[in-house]
Structure formats: structure tokens, C-alpha cells
Amino acid sequence: MTSIGGAEMVDWNLAVATATRLVRPGPDISREEARAVVAELRRHAKASEEHVRLFTRMIPEGTEPEDTPVLVVDRPGWIRANVAGFRELLRPLLTKMESRRSGGPGGAVLGAVGGKVTGVELGMLLSFLASRVLGQYETFAPATRDLPASANGGGRLLLVAPNIVHVERELDVDPHDFRLWVALHEETHRTQFTGVPWLRDHLQGEIQTFLDETDVDPMTFVERLREAAQSLSGGRPEGEQGESDSRGLVDIVQTPTQREVLGRLTAVMSLLEGHADYVMDGVGPDVVGSVSEIREKFQQRRAQGAGRLDQALRKLLGLDAKLRQYKDGEKFVRSVVEEVGMDGFNRVWTSPNTLPTKAEIAKPADWVARVHRKAES
């Protein structure tokens, strides 16, 4: 990344080092048990391919899906993978911000603050998230020396072993069932992107349009990172900012044009997350004996969070919005499948024009009317 005045907006290496240093240790587990967990997660990831493929019917029989690596990682591994993805995806935005800061009113202050401080603050946020993510399909992941990606330049499936073990113990559920259940969710995301060739480019285009339209003051970006980092460290004075007016990082990029793009992105993410939840529960009864118990306990955990600090950070980072995406998206998928069947639902993957709008996520019948009845008339 280019630097202005000898300093980058974000010191990515320092972000990795800070997050790795601060991230909480995983659950107490022997080396032998850890190896067994890793091996089992790899087996479940492989088995999930066929389960998801048969249930969703997204990849035609006889067609080989695109090969993407499955990586079972620890918390530092998740951090390294995500920093690589963030750096690639945010490159245009940060380059634009760097060019602005050189002549803007905040340039001198930012020059003093530099990428070291923002790197530390980003690292603090990543350390928080690294202990919470169970799995992730990295759509835009660049290949690195330690973290391979698919041959077309993006895509790998991550399963975060210590977090999975932590949650299965916290929920007191069958560990083997829970590991397979998590693998089904993440494998559904891999199937979405490998089974729908245009989806990755479409989503990347929407994100880049969103970033290209960003006209954010660099000082605002740094200040928002600082707010999040101070929340994490307990550095914000009590009562300085109430929960009701807590601002999210996404609020720094809320021009009218961006609201339109954000609405489309929200609809797509709701579809993808809701579809994954629907599939993991749909496949579940046949292969995950305790799926009902797992779902009930996991939903309660999602809704409650881990306390007041956790709830404030979830709001600041936009994680509450992500929880709504799971819920609203799953309702959309379930309603559509009930009305027009799985093959009818799969019309959603035909083209960007058949993706649901944000309004249609809330009213699935409107999507059915637009995509099915219009096509049949």
C-alpha cells in the first residue's frame, strides 16, 4: 500500500501482531485431543459437501464443484487470514483516504497518529472477534505462503477449532453433532459461491462500488476505530456514550448512493446467511441427531451475547445487524421453499436480477410474484 508522508493508514503487520498478542487463549485441551478435533472437523467438512449438494440441488449431478481449500485454524490463524482479506478488499478505500489526508485539515494529526496507532486499534478489534467466529468462507481471500486459496484467486473455508470446542462445551451439547452442524453451515457458503459462478464477481462489484462512493474524512475513520478499541479495552468513560446512540463503523460511509448499495448488500447477505441456516437445519435431522437441542441452545446464545460490553461491541461493529440477517434470511428461504419448492427457490441464483431486494427479504411473497408469476405469465 502506498504511504503518504512516510506512514500508512494502517500498519497491517502491527495489526496482526497486536491481535495475536491480545487474543484470549483457547479452551484447555490436550495436544492429543486437539489433533482429534482437527481431524474430525476435516472429516465433517468433507462429508458436508455431499449432504449440502444433495439438499440444495445447486450443483448439477455429475458436475464437480470448484475446489477450494478447507483450513482448520486456531485464533491467530483466523487473524492472519482475515487481515490478508481486509487488506486486499479495503485497498482502494485506504488509498483514497491517504491521498485526501495529505492536504486535508486532519493531515498533520494523522501524520502524527500514523499507521502504528490504527494498526494497534484494528488489532484490538480483531482480537475480540477472533474468539467468537466458529467458521467462515472467505470469498475474496488472497493466497499467502501459509494460507492457500482457490486457484481462481479467492475462496477458502476456515473452521476455527478452539472456538468450536469452546462453544460446544459452553452449550453442553454433543461435540460430534455440533462440529458437523457448524461444518454444514460453512459448507453451504462454499456451495453458494462455487455453484453460482457469477456471485463472487457480483458481490465484489457491489462492495467496490460502495467503497468507491466513500467520501470519508480520514480523521473520522481513525476516530471510529478508536471508539471501538476503547469499548473493547474499557477505555471509554462510563456514560460517555449511551447504547441507544452507539454508532457503528459502517456509519462512516452513509451517503445516499451508498445507502442504495448497502440495501442491496444487506439483502444478499441476508439471503446467504439465511440460506446457510436453513440448510444446516434441513440436513440436520438426517445426520445430526441432536440438531433441535443444538439449534435451541445456539439461538439463545446468539440473542443474549456475553454481557453488556459484548452487546455494545456487537452494535458498534454491526454484528447485531448480522444476527438479524440470519433470522430474516432464514424466514425468507423457508417461506419461498414452502411455496415453490427447492427448485423454485433456486431461481434466486439465476442472475443478479433474481436476487431478492431488501424489501422482498421481509416479504417473500413479493419475490415469488416478481420472479415466478411474472416469468409464467
Side-chain angles (χ1 to χ4, degrees):
M1 185 169 296
T2 59
S3 61
I4 302 297
E8 293 182 346
M9 285 288 297
V10 179
D11 186 327
W12 298 102
N13 291 332
L14 185 57
V16 172
T18 301
T20 302
R21 186 176 69 254
L22 295 178
V23 70
R24 289 182 293 183
D28 186 17
I29 186 172
S30 69
R31 187 181 297 272
E32 188 173 309
E33 186 180 0
R35 289 198 188 102
V37 170
V38 170
E40 183 175 15
L41 286 172
R42 286 177 177 154
R43 291 196 303 271
H44 285 330
K46 184 63 178 177
S48 294
E49 292 182 30
E50 189 66 15
H51 293 315
V52 172
R53 187 171 177 171
L54 290 174
F55 185 82
T56 64
R57 301 200 286 273
M58 289 181 64
I59 299 176
E61 193 171 344
T63 302
E64 285 300 317
E66 179 186 343
D67 186 30
T68 55
V70 176
L71 307 178
V72 181
V73 298
D74 56 10
R75 290 168 179 176
W78 180 87
I79 289 166
R80 291 193 298 272
N82 277 266
V83 165
F86 290 159
R87 184 172 190 172
E88 187 67 23
L89 199 60
L90 295 176
R91 187 183 299 272
L93 172 62
L94 293 181
T95 299
K96 181 178 180 180
M97 290 169 62
E98 285 176 344
S99 67
R100 281 197 59 186
R101 81 172 181 180
S102 60
V109 177
L110 272 176
V113 173
K116 299 294 183 185
V117 173
T118 51
V120 169
E121 291 169 345
L122 180 60
M124 292 173 71
L125 296 179
L126 288 170
S127 71
F128 169 81
L129 295 172
S131 62
R132 284 157 173 76
V133 177
L134 300 181
Q136 177 182 2
Y137 182 76
E138 282 199 292
T139 313
F140 310 110
T144 67
R145 183 177 59 184
D146 301 323
L147 296 163
S150 66
N152 71 351
R156 58 178 167 237
L157 191 152
L158 305 178
L159 295 171
V160 191
N163 295 349
I164 292 172
V165 171
H166 171 78
V167 173
E168 70 192 25
R169 290 178 176 179
E170 183 181 83
L171 298 181
D172 190 24
V173 294
D174 182 284
H176 309 294
D177 282 359
F178 185 74
R179 293 165 195 173
L180 177 55
W181 190 69
V182 172
L184 288 168
H185 182 100
E186 303 310 329
E187 177 58 37
T188 302
H189 285 317
R190 183 164 67 160
T191 298
Q192 290 164 349
F193 284 95
T194 57
V196 184
W198 55 264
L199 183 58
R200 179 182 182 273
D201 288 342
H202 171 71
L203 192 57
Q204 186 174 33
E206 290 281 62
I207 292 171
Q208 289 307 319
T209 298
F210 186 80
L211 296 178
D212 288 344
E213 290 293 325
T214 300
D215 189 24
V216 61
D217 173 41
M219 282 299 294
T220 303
F221 178 80
V222 172
E223 179 59 29
R224 203 57 55 84
L225 273 178
R226 182 169 295 109
E227 288 178 7
Q230 288 175 344
S231 290
L232 182 58
S233 63
R236 177 180 295 124
E238 183 72 22
E240 180 177 310
Q241 184 178 26
E243 184 177 347
S244 62
D245 62 352
S246 176
R247 299 174 297 174
L249 287 170
V250 75
D251 292 338
I252 65 176
V253 280
Q254 284 294 284
T255 65
T257 300
Q258 285 181 310
R259 288 191 186 99
E260 295 180 10
V261 178
L262 185 60
R264 295 194 298 269
L265 282 171
T266 298
V268 173
M269 297 312 298
S270 296
L271 171 68
L272 299 180
E273 296 294 356
H275 183 237
D277 264 13
Y278 178 81
V279 171
M280 72 195 295
D281 287 346
V283 173
D286 292 329
V287 297
V288 182
S290 58
V291 63
S292 297
E293 178 191 2
I294 291 173
R295 166 57 70 189
E296 181 180 358
K297 290 183 175 180
F298 194 75
Q299 289 287 59
Q300 291 174 355
R301 183 180 185 273
R302 268 184 182 171
Q304 293 171 356
R308 184 174 179 182
L309 174 60
D310 185 79
Q311 291 171 1
L313 273 168
R314 287 188 345 191
K315 185 168 185 177
L316 185 65
L317 298 175
L319 300 183
D320 279 347
K322 187 174 180 64
L323 296 182
R324 289 194 296 272
Q325 288 171 6
Y326 285 111
K327 183 178 178 180
D328 296 344
E330 196 275 339
K331 285 183 178 179
F332 170 84
V333 175
R334 184 175 300 279
S335 296
V336 171
V337 172
E338 287 176 354
E339 184 164 351
V340 297
M342 183 63 75
D343 291 332
F345 165 79
N346 280 341
R347 287 197 191 181
V348 77
W349 313 116
T350 304
S351 75
N353 291 331
T354 57
L355 291 172
T357 65
K358 188 176 179 180
E360 287 170 341
I361 288 289
K363 296 183 178 181
D366 290 353
W367 180 87
V368 172
R370 176 171 67 87
V371 174
H372 282 265
R373 292 168 192 158
K374 183 178 180 180
E376 295 166 0
S377 61

